[in-house]
Amino acid sequence: MTDFVTFSRNVFIPVTNVCRNRCGYCTFRREPDEPGSCFLSPEDIIPILKEGKKAGCSEVLFTFGEYAEEVPEYKKWLEELGYSSNVEYVIDLCKLAIKIGLLPHTNAGVLNYMELESLKPWNASMGLMLETTGMVAAHLNCPGKQPDVRIKTIKYAGELQIPFTTGILVGIGETLDDRIDSLQCISNLHAEYGHIQEVIVQNFIPKTGTSMEKHASPTIEEMIQMVSIAREILPADIAIQVAPNLIDPYLLVQCGATDLGGISPTTIDWINPETEWPTVDNLRELLKDIPLRERLPIYPDYIKKGWYSKNLKSLIRSMADNEGYRRSR
């Protein structure tokens, strides 16, 4: 079992929930004319960033619906702000975040090499869930959820030496063999490029109004099995992350989980809005006798390797202690 468990304090900003994919389990996605659809302007985002900085956060998570600019109405909104793509827009948002004092972590869905290359100088880390290498019904209307497309993005991130987060989503119709194959795929990518800093083992939660609303969540026994298998397959330098707002982490930490991801004191989990983030005190209670340690969105090993740009250097150094974890405040 781990000597301590890590987490980060973040601000979760859903820049848009317009998306080209139509996942069978998602309530985040909206059409541009649908109630609840959003596209946040810099004027919307700046106060959120400042509030997060004031609350002691180190990270801002920028999330997009994937290639929303393929939707004509969204493309028009973007052009009205003076941008031709989400990547162009998020680069400027990252610059705003850095200026305010937060380290960006962007998860914009699948991206090509040039898009990742342009985002790298302005992000401390980036991410894309693999979810599964299996072909599942939940991904039938999702061009960006095809396994080979997602693997290609993760591979490009490795070629560019981007500290990266990926993971599997357990319980969306995949088999045990699919889960094992997904973890082995991630392990192989890391063996080649050394860029995977954490792998999320996330449990599916059914949501009302989706085609999978009556689909059962994985049991705690299945999750214990998958965390245990992940720890066997993945090398020791990859952290295994579980979501403490979706599952009690204590048993999973005992069988190999080492990180609880980003929790926010100021924003909700926009992907799972029905489940509140625990506070840091709640996490300590959940973990019982296991120590908790705060980190940055870029892990200590990648700080030591210098896998960050000059744009982030002073901010990382001001936030990190001598070991690369979050400096005591």
Side-chain angles (χ1 to χ4, degrees), residues 132 134-138 169-175 178-179 204 212 215-216:
T132 180
M135 301 301 291
V136 295
L169 186 52
V170 180
I172 55 172
E174 79 290 355
T175 66
D178 290 334
R179 296 170 188 175
F204 159 79
M212 293 183 69
H215 195 86

Side-chain angles (χ1 to χ4, degrees), residues 87-263:
V87 169
E88 280 184 17
Y89 184 42
V90 79
I91 287 170
D92 277 358
L93 296 180
C94 289
K95 291 176 182 178
L96 274 177
I98 293 164
K99 187 174 181 180
I100 288 168
L102 294 173
L103 293 166
H105 171 99
T106 297
N107 189 332
V110 298
L111 296 168
N112 63 37
Y113 186 94
M114 291 179 64
E115 289 168 329
L116 285 165
E117 187 176 36
S118 65
L119 282 163
K120 177 185 174 178
W122 307 103
N123 278 270
S125 58
M126 294 182 67
L128 175 72
M129 290 287 282
L130 174 57
E131 295 196 12
T132 180
T133 54
M135 301 301 291
V136 295
H139 290 160
L140 282 178
N141 297 307
C142 307
K145 292 296 177 80
Q146 300 306 305
D148 59 331
V149 174
R150 296 179 88 75
I151 290 167
K152 192 175 290 185
T153 295
I154 300 168
K155 177 177 177 287
Y156 290 152
E159 292 173 357
L160 288 163
Q161 295 190 331
I162 297 171
F164 210 73
T165 296
T166 188
I168 63 171
L169 186 52
V170 180
I172 55 172
E174 79 290 355
T175 66
L176 177 59
D177 283 346
D178 290 334
R179 296 170 188 175
I180 292 170
D181 182 69
S182 301
L183 290 166
Q184 192 61 62
C185 174
I186 293 168
S187 182
N188 292 344
L189 286 164
H190 183 71
E192 186 167 0
Y193 301 107
H195 67 307
I196 307 293
Q197 57 178 7
E198 59 188 4
V199 168
I200 305 168
V201 179
Q202 183 174 325
N203 50 308
F204 159 79
I205 302 288
K207 300 180 191 299
T208 303
T210 67
S211 62
M212 293 183 69
E213 65 179 346
K214 298 189 185 303
H215 195 86
S217 297
T219 64
I220 186 63
E221 289 78 17
E222 284 181 278
M223 291 303 293
I224 288 170
Q225 177 190 50
M226 286 319 303
V227 169
S228 299
I229 290 173
R231 190 65 287 165
E232 288 179 16
I233 290 175
L234 299 171
D237 60 335
I238 295 180
I240 295 175
Q241 182 184 124
V242 294
N245 62 324
L246 302 182
I247 195 167
D248 186 334
Y250 183 68
L251 292 175
L252 302 181
V253 168
Q254 289 185 310
C255 59
T258 56
D259 185 77
L260 303 180
I263 62 167

